[in-house]
Amino acid sequence: MNAVEVVESFWRDVWNARNPAAVDEYVVEDFVITNAGQRIEGRENFKRWIAAFLAQVHDFELEVLETFQNHDGSRVASRWRVHGRNNGVLGTEPDGRPISFTGTAVWEVREDGKLVHNHVERASWELFQRLTTAPA
């Protein structure tokens, strides 16, 4: 499996399957995710972070827009869009409204296909604005 396939399998088996336990198959024990400038260290902490996020978005679905890797497969970039229903994401009232936001992830991938580090940026501010503005 090449590095792009590893990342896209991760999206499918962890996020879209809503199965944080599947992280064990993909990431190293000392995995790090850097999200909005905050580091979450360790595979178990990463699984808890995923579970907490999934709890905030009912009917969570991650749509991969594009994924590509550098020349040796040690870095993978992926653009994606999340769809679902609001269950308190970003500290908002869990009103069940449909939500959608985009993001980008840059992964460090080891030669054996294990994921080592993920840098994530998502359109959180834009989502927060939509959720806290009264519908027209």
Side-chain angles (χ1 to χ4, degrees), residues 90-110:
L90 301 173
T92 62
E93 184 67 32
D95 56 13
R97 287 196 304 186
I99 61 171
S100 179
F101 61 92
T102 58
T104 303
V106 177
W107 297 87
E108 178 184 348
V109 184
R110 226 169 45 183

Side-chain angles (χ1 to χ4, degrees), residues 20-21 23-32 40-50 114:
V23 161
D24 293 339
E25 298 173 36
Y26 291 95
V27 309
V28 296
E29 184 68 36
D30 59 349
F31 179 81
V32 175
I40 296 137
E41 299 183 14
R43 184 167 51 202
E44 294 305 312
N45 289 332
F46 183 41
K47 289 193 291 190
R48 283 190 285 277
W49 181 81
I50 290 170
K114 291 290 185 180

Side-chain angles (χ1 to χ4, degrees), residues 4-63:
V4 166
E5 292 168 332
V6 169
V7 168
E8 289 189 349
S9 292
F10 175 85
W11 292 137
R12 180 189 66 239
D13 297 345
V14 174
W15 286 100
N16 282 336
R18 301 177 191 113
N19 183 13
V23 161
D24 293 339
E25 298 173 36
Y26 291 95
V27 309
V28 296
E29 184 68 36
D30 59 349
F31 179 81
V32 175
I33 181 171
T34 303
N35 177 64
Q38 176 187 2
R39 287 173 58 96
I40 296 137
E41 299 183 14
R43 184 167 51 202
E44 294 305 312
N45 289 332
F46 183 41
K47 289 193 291 190
R48 283 190 285 277
W49 181 81
I50 290 170
F53 194 83
L54 286 171
Q56 296 175 4
V57 182
H58 285 173
D59 302 329
F60 183 98
E61 180 187 344
L62 186 141
E63 172 191 6

Side-chain angles (χ1 to χ4, degrees), residues 51-93:
F53 194 83
L54 286 171
Q56 296 175 4
V57 182
H58 285 173
D59 302 329
F60 183 98
E61 180 187 344
L62 186 141
E63 172 191 6
V64 176
L65 302 174
E66 71 176 322
T67 307
F68 50 93
Q69 68 183 41
N70 68 346
H71 68 284
D72 65 2
S74 63
R75 294 287 187 278
V76 172
S78 185
R79 288 188 325 107
W80 41 266
R81 177 176 287 117
V82 165
H83 306 276
R85 291 183 303 110
N86 180 30
N87 192 42
V89 70
L90 301 173
T92 62
E93 184 67 32

Side-chain angles (χ1 to χ4, degrees), residues 114-134:
K114 291 290 185 180
L115 303 171
V116 177
H117 196 138
N118 183 12
H119 295 269
V120 176
E121 296 295 333
R122 58 183 183 223
S124 298
W125 173 244
E126 292 82 359
L127 175 59
F128 182 78
Q129 286 180 309
R130 285 193 302 273
L131 289 172
T132 57
T133 302

